[in-house]
Amino acid sequence: MSQITLNAPALFNLSGRVAFVTGAGSGIGQRIALGLAQCGADVACLDRRTDGGLAETLDVIAQTGRKAIALAADVTDGAALDDAVARAEADLGPLGIAVNAAGIANANPAEEMGEDQYQTLMDINMKGVFLSCQAEARAMLKHGRGSIINIASMSGVIVNRGLMQVHYNASKAGVIHMSKSMAMEWVDRGIRVNSISPGYTATPMNTRPEMVHQTKEFERQTPMQRMASVDEMVGPAVFLASDASSYCTGVDLLVDGGFCCW
Ligand code: NAP
């Protein structure tokens, strides 16, 4: 080996970076926002309401010594996202990292699903990710640098046995391919776009009391025999956000306890 110039641990250091996280008031988005701060980033935390978990997100980030701001916007509103990114840059500095975790899930047999249920989910899970990436990239393209991470799902790769959620599965397949498509549009302008596809993860989305039997089934079906904790989404997100993944773009990183192997 010739001269060693690479400081490997420093690859994961996010000091001096500014991150923008949607869905930062709960679950995966909330934990990733904190994880980015723990690695040194200042974080703009967006959710549709500021009166929910966002206050808690800001509190825990404050304990890391990093800066955080709360932004209220609906990811189906492109103009509101443009404004939110502008606020983030004005308060924290040039945007370098974005994690798009806002999303919803629900279920209904395909033959019974109303158009409204289908469209509302698609608007949030797919159009919302597109509009978020668009607003974030408009800022990042000006700086010639950035990493965007979209939270998709293993449901974009497999069909969850027993869950009738055709719209959700289709939305997540859409997020994976949309991420690859945007990765290629911006590949020569300094912006990387990747997705993370979690398996069953213990968040408010699927730990409601009425889901107790379903979560036992999720655990049984998963090769690791358990759901993921939100903590286990942090390492993959920090990796994709940081210089440790400088040659990765258009990747869908499955974080599923082995689910998609079987
Ligand atoms: P969560 O705890 O419900 O968090 C999602 C957050 O996004 C909530 O704070 C939610 O606000 C917010 N949100 C929803 N619609 C929004 C909108 N239109 N504009 C702005 N914010 C909005 O869910 P999670 O489990 O962490 O899920 C995060 C992401 O991971 C989602 O994209 C989900 O599909 C994906 N995922 C989750 C799992 C899992 O097992 N949990 C597995 C694979 C993928 P409200 O509370 O007001 O709705």
Side-chain angles (χ1 to χ4, degrees), residues 22-30 46-49 53 73-77 100-105 120 123-125 128-129 151-155 168 171-172 196-206 218 227-228 230 233:
T22 77
S26 178
I28 293 171
Q30 183 179 51
L46 181 143
D47 213 296
R48 55 180 156 189
R49 290 188 316 270
D74 196 299
V75 295
T76 61
D77 180 345
N100 298 313
I104 61 166
T120 301
D123 281 350
I124 295 172
N125 285 14
V129 170
I151 306 302
S153 169
M154 69 174 181
S155 306
Y168 183 84
S171 76
K172 294 302 183 176
I196 292 175
S197 282
Y200 294 118
T201 307
T203 72
M205 188 179 268
N206 60 23
F218 293 163
M227 294 208 287
V230 287
M233 300 300 146

Side-chain angles (χ1 to χ4, degrees), residues 158-180:
I158 51 102
V159 175
N160 309 65
R161 187 172 299 205
L163 287 187
M164 291 182 223
Q165 49 174 23
V166 58
H167 57 340
Y168 183 84
N169 298 349
S171 76
K172 294 302 183 176
V175 168
I176 293 168
H177 208 56
M178 197 156 64
S179 304
K180 290 179 192 290

Side-chain angles (χ1 to χ4, degrees), residues 33-181:
L34 172 60
L36 297 175
Q38 287 171 318
C39 289
D42 293 329
V43 191
C45 303
L46 181 143
D47 213 296
R48 55 180 156 189
R49 290 188 316 270
T50 46
D51 59 353
L54 267 188
E56 186 191 21
T57 314
L58 259 59
D59 271 358
V60 289
I61 292 180
Q63 290 166 32
T64 69
R66 303 312 322 164
K67 287 191 217 147
I69 60 166
L71 299 165
D74 196 299
V75 295
T76 61
D77 180 345
L81 287 164
D82 282 335
D83 288 348
V85 169
R87 257 274 323 273
E89 292 211 308
D91 288 7
L92 301 177
L95 186 64
I97 298 164
V99 179
N100 298 313
I104 61 166
N106 49 54
N108 217 346
E111 72 276 19
E112 288 169 23
M113 188 177 296
E115 257 184 70
D116 279 358
Q117 185 178 1
Y118 173 90
Q119 195 58 53
T120 301
L121 184 139
M122 280 294 183
D123 281 350
I124 295 172
N125 285 14
M126 203 147 92
K127 188 177 85 173
V129 170
F130 170 71
L131 292 175
S132 300
C133 290
Q134 192 177 50
E136 293 149 3
R138 281 174 179 153
M140 291 174 177
L141 285 165
K142 290 191 191 128
H143 318 311
R145 179 174 187 182
S147 172
I148 298 177
I149 301 152
N150 293 322
I151 306 302
S153 169
M154 69 174 181
S155 306
V157 181
I158 51 102
V159 175
N160 309 65
R161 187 172 299 205
L163 287 187
M164 291 182 223
Q165 49 174 23
V166 58
H167 57 340
Y168 183 84
N169 298 349
S171 76
K172 294 302 183 176
V175 168
I176 293 168
H177 208 56
M178 197 156 64
S179 304
K180 290 179 192 290
S181 306

